[in-house]
């Protein structure tokens, strides 16, 4: 039988960041990832990092390339009503910058650090089963041709929304809360010079967003019907839709070019409670999903990682369960505030299929009210820059 202290299911950003932080404390970890390394690295996700996320990556010793290549931003742009634009200066409001740096690059940095430190990540692991969560935690799984049993003290469920960890919590204990949205985001990556800032655009035809990965790589999105297929979206149709939704002075600055990646993402809000059952702790997308408006998914995963790292370290170093017992309620408090912000920003900026001209006018008026008011800008900035992490030591 194999043995470890913390078995980590899932080798995405949550799983590997947690593994690196725990290993730094001398805690034995084993990471089990269902997909191949190539598959994980091919996923294109968001790329906006709160300052606490950046700090945590530095603490894990994976901040070097991020420090060199990440771009610091003082604020974010919002546009509506064809020509109205406002740059919300979140630095002035919070004294915190945020950074654009792609999740794919973070995943590369995490894998490189794991390799450099001799921390093995098992890829292509199948048939994972979790047992004994209330008395004798065990994981059974298939690695290559062999079936293994792994004995551990704790299991970190970092296996994303479609993982199996959440299902290990009995139905009479697990509560889930969900909202799906009747639209998706059609996203394009292109080797073109991005705009200087991130722009969120409200338009009567639907939402649009300009973002970036590096000085030569742009990421753009347009709202599309939830059941649209990729074949419906030629590059020409995408650019034409994007440019029509952007205010003309910004559209004039957007460089278009061939797409190098295209995808349609559904929008969903989801929370599972509690985030702990016996020896199992849910982390990141395994416990919650936010729509991408506001780019909070990865940042929320990182605050979970921080809380669990703090709890497990205190447990192993001092045999004190205080922070481990506080994990689920503490993480959920921050999760719900962030879920609320992402839901609110999604409602404010998107066009619903049954939307009336009245709804459109109230959205535009809300955008004007927020940006005209110092208190409104402050409130928006605090949430966009990210809620503080409790006891951020
Ligand atoms: N066994 C092992 N691994 C699994 C299993 C399973 N049964 N099911 C899923 N996985 C793996 C997936 O292949 C994936 O690599 O778990 C990983 C989960 O990674 P993510 O889905 O990226 O979730 P997480 O690590 O929590 O990352 C935070 O927040 O909003 C998002 O874009 C953001 O992906 C980011 C996420
Ligand atoms: C991205 O860069 O992909 C991005 C930026 C901001 C968002 C969502 C995604 O709100």
């Amino acid at each position: 039988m194999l043995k470890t202290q913390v078995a980590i299911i899932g080798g995405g950003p949550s799983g590997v960041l947690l593994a690196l932080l725990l290993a730094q404390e001398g805690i034995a970890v084993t990471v089990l990832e269902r997909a191949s390394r190539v598959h994980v690295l091919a996923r294109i996700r968001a790329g906006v990092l709160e300052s606490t996320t950046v700090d945590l990556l530095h603490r894990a010793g994976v901040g070097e390339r991020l420090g060199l290549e990440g771009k610091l931003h003082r604020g974010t742009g919002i546009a509506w009503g064809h020509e109205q634009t406002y740059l919300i200066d979140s630095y002035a409001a919070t004294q915190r910058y945020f950074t654009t740096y792609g999740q794919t690059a973070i995943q590369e940095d995490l894998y490189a650090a794991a390799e450099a430190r001799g921390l093995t990540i098992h890829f292509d692991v199948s048939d994972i089963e979790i047992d004994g969560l209330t008395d004798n935690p065990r994981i059974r799984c298939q690695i290559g041709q062999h079936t293994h049993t792994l004995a551990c003290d704790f299991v970190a469920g970092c296996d994303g929304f479609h993982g199996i960890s959440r299902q290990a919590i009995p139905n009479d204990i697990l509560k889930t809360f969900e909202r799906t949205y009747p639209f998706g985001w059609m996203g394009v990556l292109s080797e073109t010079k991005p705009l200087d800032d991130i722009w969120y655009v409200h338009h009567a035809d639907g939402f649009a967003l300009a973002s970036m990965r590096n000085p030569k790589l742009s990421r753009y999105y347009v709202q599309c019907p939830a059941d649209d297929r990729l074949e419906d979206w030629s590059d020409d149709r995408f650019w034409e839709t994007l440019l029509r939704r952007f205010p003309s002075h910004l559209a004039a600055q957007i460089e278009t070019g061939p797409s190098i990646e295209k995808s349609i993402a559904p929008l969903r809000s989801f929370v599972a409670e509690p985030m702990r059952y016996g020896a199992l702790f849910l982390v990141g997308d395994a416990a919650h999903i936010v729509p991408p408006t506001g780019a909070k998914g990865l940042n929320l995963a990182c605050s979970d990682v921080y809380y669990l790292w703090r709890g497990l370290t205190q447990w192993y170093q001092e045999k004190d369960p205080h922070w481990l017992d506080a994990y689920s309620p503490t993480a959920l408090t921050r999760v719900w505030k962030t879920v609320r912000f992402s839901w609110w920003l999604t409602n404010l900026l998107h066009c619903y299929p049954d939307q009336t001209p009245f709804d459109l006018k109230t959205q535009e008026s809300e955008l004007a009210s927020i940006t005209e008011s110092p208190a409104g800008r402050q409130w928006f900035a605090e949430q966009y820059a990210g809620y503080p992490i409790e006891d951020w030591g």
Side-chain angles (χ1 to χ4, degrees), residues 29-171:
V29 296
T30 299
V31 182
L32 305 169
E33 164 60 51
R34 185 173 59 182
S36 68
R37 183 189 171 110
V38 171
H39 179 89
V40 178
L41 287 174
R43 292 196 290 237
I44 310 283
R45 301 270 174 87
V48 178
L49 309 182
E50 296 172 1
S51 62
T52 44
T53 299
V54 172
D55 286 354
L56 194 62
L57 290 165
H58 279 291
R59 285 202 208 185
V62 284
E64 200 185 339
R65 181 157 72 121
L66 160 65
L68 293 171
E69 296 177 13
K71 179 177 170 175
L72 292 181
H73 295 257
R74 277 191 73 104
T76 191
I78 301 195
W80 70 97
H82 301 290
E83 298 301 325
Q84 298 289 319
T85 55
Y86 198 94
L87 207 58
I88 294 195
D89 185 343
S90 48
Y91 183 79
T94 65
Q95 286 72 59
R96 291 160 63 196
Y97 293 102
F98 64 87
T99 304
T100 43
Y101 186 70
Q103 186 178 314
T104 313
I106 293 177
Q107 192 78 59
E108 287 166 2
D109 298 345
L110 290 167
Y111 284 162
E115 208 164 300
R117 295 177 208 176
L119 196 158
T120 308
I121 298 167
H122 298 279
F123 289 97
D124 302 302
V125 179
S126 54
D127 302 330
I128 297 190
E129 285 171 29
I130 310 173
D131 278 324
L133 284 173
T134 50
D135 50 359
N136 189 17
R138 294 267 183 285
I139 306 238
R140 249 180 294 281
C141 63
Q142 183 90 13
I143 306 179
Q145 301 303 312
H146 303 282
T147 303
H148 293 280
T149 301
L150 176 66
C152 54
D153 302 329
F154 298 104
V155 180
C158 303
D159 50 350
F161 181 64
H162 299 288
I164 44 104
S165 307
R166 196 173 60 246
Q167 293 159 25
I169 303 182
N171 281 340

Side-chain angles (χ1 to χ4, degrees), residues 237-348:
R237 179 176 173 212
F238 178 83
W239 291 118
E240 189 265 313
T241 307
L242 183 86
L243 296 181
R244 195 163 18 85
R245 293 183 188 179
F246 263 74
S248 52
H249 71 283
L250 288 171
Q253 296 170 41
I254 292 178
E255 238 180 55
T256 61
S259 63
I260 58 168
E261 193 269 349
K262 263 189 205 167
S263 51
I264 296 185
L267 267 66
R268 180 198 305 275
S269 299
F270 173 87
V271 183
E273 292 185 359
M275 285 171 63
R276 175 189 190 171
Y277 173 71
L280 170 69
F281 294 84
L282 298 181
V283 181
D285 279 15
H288 40 75
I289 295 287
V290 287
T293 335
K296 293 299 176 202
L298 177 64
N299 294 296
L300 214 42
C302 287
S303 57
D304 292 351
V305 167
Y306 172 78
Y307 292 134
L308 187 54
W309 169 47
R310 173 179 73 169
L312 288 169
T313 303
Q314 189 189 40
W315 167 255
Y316 280 110
Q317 291 178 354
E318 301 163 32
K319 283 285 165 272
D320 181 348
H322 174 79
W323 288 127
L324 214 44
D325 289 343
Y327 174 74
S328 178
T330 312
L332 279 167
T333 301
R334 193 171 188 279
V335 165
W336 271 114
K337 288 181 183 169
T338 309
V339 164
R340 194 217 68 83
F341 174 64
S342 307
W343 159 84
W344 168 77
L345 196 57
T346 300
N347 286 336
L348 180 61

Side-chain angles (χ1 to χ4, degrees), residues 7-28:
I8 298 180
I9 305 183
S14 304
V16 185
L17 180 58
L18 179 66
L20 291 171
L21 288 164
L22 293 176
Q24 276 179 346
E25 309 290 344
I27 299 168

Side-chain angles (χ1 to χ4, degrees), residues 6 62 191 228 288:
V6 182
V62 284
E191 285 171 333
D228 262 18
H288 40 75

